[in-house]
Amino acid sequence: QIQLVESGGGPVQAGGSLRLSCAAPVLIFRRYDMGWYRQAPGKQREFVARISSSGSTSYEDFVEGRFTISRDTAKNAVNLEMNSLKPEDTAVYYCNAQGSWGGSPYWGQGTQVTVSS
């Protein structure tokens, strides 16, 4: 069974920073596009950021330059550096792995980020 394991969530004050990490099996990490989604209470899950297997990145507009997604090839992990956090960033953040050829994605169990004002 494929497992994506997130870590790094927690409480933080507005304006603060957090670093999320998602560890993946090496074959998934190398071949799949890796991304982060989030789901706030009462809302649908939404896209946050993605990094392709070749390293190309994309972000949702609300990131506004505050977040950076990257690959750590030594650890087979994808990181999401989040700065200038806002209360509206409060959500459960999910790691995602998606093959560029389609097919079903893989999801992590989620990690809670809570930003207080």
Side-chain angles (χ1 to χ4, degrees):
Q1 184 177 358
I2 300 297
Q3 284 191 316
L4 305 179
V5 181
E6 300 109 331
S7 61
V12 64
Q13 290 191 329
S17 300
L18 279 176
R19 180 172 178 265
L20 306 183
S21 185
C22 171
V26 59
L27 291 180
I28 297 295
F29 177 79
R30 289 179 180 176
R31 296 184 61 191
Y32 282 58
D33 296 343
M34 302 294 296
W36 289 93
Y37 287 69
R38 70 185 188 185
Q39 187 167 17
K43 295 188 177 181
Q44 290 188 331
R45 191 173 298 189
E46 62 181 355
F47 169 73
V48 176
R50 177 182 295 113
I51 184 165
S52 73
S53 57
S54 61
S56 299
T57 59
S58 60
Y59 299 91
E60 186 54 79
D61 289 346
F62 61 70
V63 169
E64 298 174 325
R66 300 179 296 129
F67 297 176
T68 302
I69 191 170
S70 62
R71 286 178 176 267
D72 184 342
T73 55
K75 297 181 179 180
N76 297 324
V78 58
N79 298 319
L80 186 68
E81 299 278 355
M82 304 188 295
N83 299 311
S84 302
L85 283 163
K86 307 174 182 179
E88 51 265 44
D89 293 318
T90 294
V92 178
Y93 284 70
Y94 295 91
C95 180
N96 165 276
Q98 177 70 65
S100 59
W101 56 89
S104 299
Y106 297 105
W107 292 96
Q109 80 285 354
T111 185
Q112 177 70 47
V113 172
T114 303
V115 185
S116 58
S117 57

